Amino acid sequence: MAGTKPYRIKTISEFHQLRNLSKPEHPLISVIDYATMPHPENSGINWICDFYSISVKRGLSGKVVYGQQEYDFDEGVMFFISPNQVFRLEVNPNLTAKRSGWMLLIHPDFLWNTPLAKTIKQYEYFGYSVNEALLLSEKEEIVINNIFQNIQQEYHSNIDNFSQQIIIPQIETLLNYAERFYHRQFITRKITNHKILNRLEELLTDYFSSDNLMEKGLPTVQYVAGTLNVSPKYLSSLLKVLTGQTAQQHIHEKLIKKAKEKLSTTDLSVSEIAYELGFEHSQSFSKLFKSKTNLSPLEFRQSFG
């Protein structure tokens, strides 16, 4: 089933129907208590939803597969899926762990005409893979659960003209706490994250020391992230917290270092160096070099005269 075309769920009502849940009280937003959710019978199917999903899960006895990654949900975790992302849920029917947690489904139309309609796209963790999920501490989980309960309370009361105004700030608070907790995770999981940093350094050093630059051009963030087995957005978010630089800035920094080496130790022309560094046009190389060093390649070379 894993190789078949993903099944698209267009509405929150359709999601409720597929998971044998009662009809949602609002067509554009739904809060679901995992303890009341039946185990899915259609395990192993690829899904795409036309709405946002924010989940805190514990004791699922299953795996979510996202891209080529698997994440085991024996522990409590929080993860985020935006519209048009492919994921797959695989449930072990033989395990009966007590499940708890929440799922918040938000259709983009619910955010229409609010600032969150635009700002929700700025939360990069919606682009993380499931294996990069947020691992919550006990205190953090209490904070998140309280917000879910506040949203649920408003959701279960009479839906009126004030509902959106009350729920939207709660969603924003939820997203901001998640942002804070992800920053904490980048810092506290130092061993794992510094391994990624070390592997990045080795990967770029090897790439820039080989013929890859001439043959393939500059490595892309997608290539680097894929080689490190993380998503591009997660890699950049992690690097920004650990080093203050994005993945793209790290690639450029390594490039400039290599360019300086060639400019100061060889007699190659700027055009030849640009070609060896994977640039089709020397002007593009010179422009990038000057933006990073405030000197043109020739000015840098002359400084050694």
Side-chain angles (χ1 to χ4, degrees), residues 108-118 164 168:
D109 288 353
F110 185 76
L111 308 178
W112 186 77
N113 213 22
T114 73
L116 188 56
K118 288 184 178 179
Q164 187 192 45
I168 291 287

Side-chain angles (χ1 to χ4, degrees), residues 236-263:
S236 281
S237 298
L238 172 66
L239 292 174
K240 273 191 282 188
V241 172
L242 295 181
T243 69
Q245 292 184 313
T246 63
Q248 187 69 64
Q249 287 171 323
H250 271 270
I251 293 169
H252 284 163
E253 187 179 70
K254 187 65 73 173
L255 171 77
I256 297 302
K257 187 177 178 182
K258 196 72 178 176
K260 286 179 175 179
E261 182 187 308
K262 289 181 179 291
L263 286 164

Side-chain angles (χ1 to χ4, degrees), residues 21-269:
L21 295 165
S22 58
K23 187 178 177 181
E25 295 175 49
H26 192 290
L28 301 179
I29 188 166
S30 177
V31 183
I32 302 165
D33 183 345
Y34 266 110
T36 65
M37 184 183 283
H39 279 283
E41 296 174 4
N42 37 18
S43 174
I45 295 176
N46 289 332
W47 305 92
I48 297 178
C49 297
D50 285 358
F51 41 84
Y52 292 94
S53 169
I54 302 172
S55 306
V56 175
K57 304 183 179 183
R58 184 179 288 278
L60 272 193
S61 305
K63 295 180 187 294
V64 167
V65 180
Y66 185 109
Q68 299 304 310
Q69 304 293 333
E70 286 188 358
Y71 196 89
D72 196 332
F73 283 100
D74 292 336
E75 298 297 328
V77 293
M78 185 174 189
F79 73 99
F80 307 79
I81 296 175
S82 63
N84 299 312
Q85 287 180 303
V86 179
F87 66 99
R88 184 167 84 248
L89 179 63
E90 294 182 348
V91 174
N92 184 342
N94 299 318
L95 293 176
T96 55
K98 186 178 179 182
R99 296 181 300 158
S100 64
W102 302 91
M103 176 183 273
L104 174 63
L105 307 178
I106 312 162
H107 196 281
D109 288 353
F110 185 76
L111 308 178
W112 186 77
N113 213 22
T114 73
L116 188 56
K118 288 184 178 179
T119 57
I120 195 168
K121 294 178 175 65
Q122 296 171 10
Y123 294 96
E124 293 187 337
Y125 46 72
F126 276 108
Y128 295 172
S129 297
V130 168
N131 67 304
E132 299 152 352
L134 178 57
L135 307 178
L136 295 169
S137 71
E138 198 172 325
K139 286 183 179 178
E140 289 168 352
E141 194 168 346
I142 290 169
V143 170
I144 295 298
N145 284 341
N146 284 340
I147 299 171
F148 270 106
Q149 286 164 357
N150 289 340
I151 296 172
Q152 185 191 43
Q153 187 176 342
E154 178 60 29
Y155 167 78
H156 279 317
S157 65
N158 294 325
I159 300 293
D160 56 26
N161 293 335
F162 294 93
S163 299
Q164 187 192 45
Q165 294 170 257
I166 293 169
I167 292 173
I168 291 287
Q170 295 284 346
I171 296 171
E172 288 176 321
T173 301
L174 185 71
L175 298 176
N176 287 328
Y177 269 114
E179 183 97 349
R180 169 189 277 180
F181 297 157
Y182 257 115
H183 273 247
R184 183 272 309 153
Q185 180 165 299
F186 290 143
I187 294 165
T188 55
R189 299 183 75 203
K190 280 185 178 177
I191 295 174
T192 303
N193 293 334
H194 281 290
K195 278 182 182 175
I196 293 176
L197 194 55
N198 291 338
R199 285 172 57 214
L200 170 67
E201 195 62 29
E202 289 171 10
L203 168 66
L204 292 179
T205 298
D206 290 345
Y207 193 101
F208 279 85
S209 300
S210 67
D211 295 328
N212 280 332
L213 284 169
M214 280 193 288
E215 294 171 7
K216 303 176 184 176
L218 277 180
T220 62
V221 174
Q222 286 76 12
Y223 166 80
V224 171
T227 306
L228 295 174
N229 220 22
V230 294
S231 65
K233 286 195 174 180
Y234 185 85
L235 179 62
S236 281
S237 298
L238 172 66
L239 292 174
K240 273 191 282 188
V241 172
L242 295 181
T243 69
Q245 292 184 313
T246 63
Q248 187 69 64
Q249 287 171 323
H250 271 270
I251 293 169
H252 284 163
E253 187 179 70
K254 187 65 73 173
L255 171 77
I256 297 302
K257 187 177 178 182
K258 196 72 178 176
K260 286 179 175 179
E261 182 187 308
K262 289 181 179 291
L263 286 164
S264 59
T265 62
T266 74
D267 295 323
L268 294 171
S269 69

